[in-house]
Amino acid sequence: MDKIIINVGRQLGSGGRVVAQLLAKEFGCRFYDREILNLAAKESGFSEKFFEQNDEHKGFFRSLFHTHLPHLSDTNIHDNRFSQESLFQFQSDAIRKAASEGSCVFVGRCADYILRDMPECINIFITARLDYRIEQVCKRHGCSESEARKIINEQERERASYYNYYTGKRWGDSASYDLCVDASFLGQEKTAKWIAEWIREGLEVRGKG
């Protein structure tokens, strides 16, 4: 297996990031989640702060001009290269560059769409029962169940809007992925092991074909 690219989409609180990390370790891949924002910032010359604000979120740009941002010059803010679409393009370029350099696991950020022409790609979506996700978000944020439910609804709405806008597809739709898995059924570690075995068998079949 010379090269493998695994793109992991995930519901909030599903444990998809942990599953992705375990898969990266299992296959000896570089792992990219928020790390890709730093790469995009370096490639573009813009502050990483803007990529963080735009991270899987469509619409922050509308309020940008009403915010005091001392690390952005007037020249840059009126530069026609600086737009939300430009930030997405810089991020896409960073993802393509990372993928071209070796085996990777990417978490979210439309990587499945951006790398759609790469035959090495395997696209996975991690879901989980709502009660499981609420429990995970409560632990992460130290909040109540009602607050966790609100966080899930708001962030998933933003994530879906971002994905749907840039890909023309529907976030979480099984037709967009090679495999969709409920991580609350086996737990994160066993889910990752099961997916790894599924990938190995799939690559073996692909190789024979």
Side-chain angles (χ1 to χ4, degrees):
M1 186 170 53
D2 296 328
K3 184 177 179 180
I4 183 172
I5 305 294
I6 303 173
N7 302 312
V8 180
R10 74 285 183 223
Q11 285 187 308
L12 190 70
S14 66
R17 186 179 191 277
V18 173
V19 171
Q21 286 178 313
L22 292 170
L23 289 173
K25 183 177 180 180
E26 182 75 22
F27 290 102
C29 299
R30 287 172 297 169
F31 175 79
Y32 292 100
D33 184 8
R34 296 182 65 83
E35 294 83 355
I36 207 65
L37 305 180
N38 178 260
L39 293 181
K42 289 180 179 178
E43 290 293 319
S44 67
F46 288 116
S47 169
E48 186 176 350
K49 183 68 174 178
F50 294 106
F51 291 94
E52 292 174 354
Q53 288 175 299
N54 190 47
D55 190 24
E56 296 189 297
H57 173 63
K58 188 79 179 70
F60 90 91
F61 222 80
R62 287 192 297 271
S63 60
L64 179 62
F65 294 95
H66 302 289
T67 306
H68 178 59
L69 298 171
H71 52 282
L72 182 68
S73 70
D74 291 338
T75 301
N76 282 340
I77 206 167
H78 294 295
D79 190 327
N80 59 15
R81 294 189 307 121
F82 191 83
S83 67
Q84 195 158 19
E85 279 63 34
S86 295
L87 294 182
F88 178 77
Q89 188 60 54
F90 287 130
Q91 184 170 286
S92 299
D93 291 344
I95 289 172
R96 292 190 191 95
K97 182 177 180 181
S100 71
E101 294 174 348
S103 296
C104 302
V105 174
F106 294 101
V107 177
R109 296 169 184 83
C110 305
D112 60 309
Y113 177 77
I114 293 165
L115 303 176
R116 62 192 180 280
D117 294 327
M118 296 187 69
E120 306 94 329
C121 285
I122 297 170
N123 301 319
I124 296 168
F125 191 82
I126 305 297
T127 183
R129 299 188 316 272
L130 180 58
D131 63 323
Y132 177 91
R133 295 191 289 133
I134 288 175
E135 181 181 356
Q136 297 303 309
V137 172
C138 285
K139 289 179 180 178
R140 186 187 309 168
H141 294 278
C143 62
S144 67
E145 290 188 1
S146 61
E147 290 171 326
R149 188 184 296 270
K150 182 178 180 181
I151 290 171
I152 288 171
N153 289 337
E154 290 180 353
Q155 292 192 20
E156 286 200 341
R157 183 168 57 249
E158 292 173 356
R159 189 174 290 176
S161 176
Y162 180 90
Y163 182 90
N164 297 349
Y165 178 84
Y166 285 111
T167 69
K169 299 193 296 179
R170 183 181 173 189
W171 179 77
D173 188 338
S174 61
S176 297
Y177 309 93
D178 299 305
L179 178 68
C180 296
V181 182
D182 183 338
S184 58
F185 187 71
L186 291 176
Q188 296 167 8
E189 290 189 8
K190 289 185 178 180
T191 295
K193 290 180 179 179
W194 185 87
I195 293 174
E197 185 60 30
W198 179 86
I199 290 174
R200 287 192 179 94
E201 290 190 14
L203 291 175
E204 184 178 342
V205 171
R206 185 184 296 181
K208 291 179 180 178

